[in-house]
Amino acid sequence: MGCAISGSGLTPRTPEIRSTEDAEAPARLTPRHIHLIKESWKVIQEDIAKVGIIMFVRLFETHPECKDVFFLFRDVEDLERLRTSRELRAHGLRVMSFIEKSVARLDQLERLQTLALELGKSHYRYNAPPKYYGYVGAEFICAVQPILKERWTAELEQAWKTLFQFITGIMKDGYLEEEKTKRNLMLTSTRERPDKRNTMI
Ligand code: HEM
């Protein structure tokens, strides 16, 4: 299970609920990062199903609380069984396809931003809070290191960390935006309720 990631970098330090005022600046992806990510993706791409499974089994091993968010996996005790689960394979592939789309949008970061914002909003609906997002990048790095073997370098690791920080930072913003929208909707409907009661009488 062990995997050495230099520095922590990907473990979220921000509290689950942030106000828009203390929103962090997005992680800065340099042209060099983009080049390194694209080159390594050509290799990773061949094993995306495998990476997706390894990443999620590791996530559930290191942070069992994340498993509870998944309706399909929360009752699975034996994580080894998940390695051959069709559902986990399908879920891993959905997440890896998102990474693939992100890599394809590295030259149009505003399009990647839109994609990640929507993903954050959908994660509010899945009840998957931002405090967990940072773990995924760390597990992704551990899963791809053995595939890239000697091609793995500290610089490449930093590039992938930055991409995950970029994506998850925006996902958090999307989550918070959706949370605010839902809260306002609830407030509005609570305020409207007395009127509704009047019409019932
Ligand atoms: C870098 C972080 C993450 C990425 C890129 C990511 C990506 C995705 C994608 C692409 C989907 C497919 C559905 C959709 O597009 O809305 C999805 C679904 C989902 N994710 Fe995530 N996710 C991340 C982190 C997490 C974490 C940490 C959790 C839970 C602790 C989580 C829980 C879920 C759940 C419950 C679903 C819906 C169930 C399903 O599709 O099978 N996600 N995620």
Side-chain angles (χ1 to χ4, degrees), residues 66 69-70 91 94-95 98 119 122-123 126 128 132 136 168 171:
C66 290
V69 177
F70 291 88
H91 178 74
R94 279 199 286 278
V95 176
F98 182 85
L119 189 66
S122 64
H123 278 67
Y126 303 148
Y132 299 144
V136 177
T168 56
M171 279 177 73

Side-chain angles (χ1 to χ4, degrees), residues 9-19 24 59 63 65-66 69 116-117 119-137 164-165 167-180:
L10 284 168
T11 310
R13 280 189 214 109
T14 45
E16 183 183 333
I17 305 296
R18 284 183 304 154
S19 69
E24 287 159 26
L59 178 72
H63 302 282
E65 67 277 22
C66 290
V69 177
L117 198 73
L119 189 66
K121 288 183 187 176
S122 64
H123 278 67
Y124 176 79
R125 299 191 285 272
Y126 303 148
N127 252 325
K131 64 179 174 188
Y132 299 144
Y133 301 167
Y135 305 150
V136 177
F164 271 92
Q165 279 161 355
I167 293 171
T168 56
I170 297 163
M171 279 177 73
K172 282 179 196 173
D173 292 341
Y175 179 99
L176 295 177
E177 235 180 83
E178 189 69 359
E179 182 182 54
K180 206 168 154 187

Side-chain angles (χ1 to χ4, degrees), residues 22 39 54 195:
D22 49 52
E39 282 305 302
I54 298 175
D195 299 333

Side-chain angles (χ1 to χ4, degrees), residues 150-170:
E150 67 288 342
R151 277 177 277 215
W152 190 260
T153 62
E155 199 187 11
L156 179 58
E157 182 171 317
Q158 192 50 52
W160 276 106
K161 273 186 186 173
T162 311
L163 176 58
F164 271 92
Q165 279 161 355
F166 183 84
I167 293 171
T168 56
I170 297 163

Side-chain angles (χ1 to χ4, degrees), residues 31-119:
R32 176 79 183 149
H33 287 147
I34 293 175
H35 169 76
L36 290 172
I37 292 169
K38 281 183 180 171
E39 282 305 302
S40 60
W41 182 254
K42 290 179 192 160
V43 182
I44 299 168
Q45 198 174 29
E46 287 166 27
D47 277 313
I48 50 169
K50 188 170 122 192
V51 172
I53 293 172
I54 298 175
M55 193 166 89
F56 274 94
V57 173
R58 285 190 58 98
L59 178 72
F60 297 156
E61 273 169 355
T62 52
H63 302 282
E65 67 277 22
C66 290
K67 193 160 62 86
D68 296 336
V69 177
F70 291 88
F71 175 72
L72 280 173
F73 312 126
R74 65 172 65 138
D75 295 324
V76 179
E77 296 291 341
D78 179 8
L79 291 180
E80 281 311 304
R81 257 184 52 208
L82 281 183
R83 289 189 199 278
T84 50
S85 146
R86 284 215 327 250
E87 287 81 11
L88 189 71
R89 188 177 194 276
H91 178 74
L93 272 174
R94 279 199 286 278
V95 176
M96 291 302 288
S97 304
F98 182 85
I99 305 300
E100 182 159 49
K101 277 191 216 155
S102 307
V103 175
R105 281 164 182 70
L106 283 173
D107 296 317
Q108 303 150 287
L109 288 180
E110 53 311 322
R111 286 188 63 205
L112 173 53
Q113 243 161 332
T114 311
L115 211 65
L117 198 73
E118 286 311 309
L119 189 66

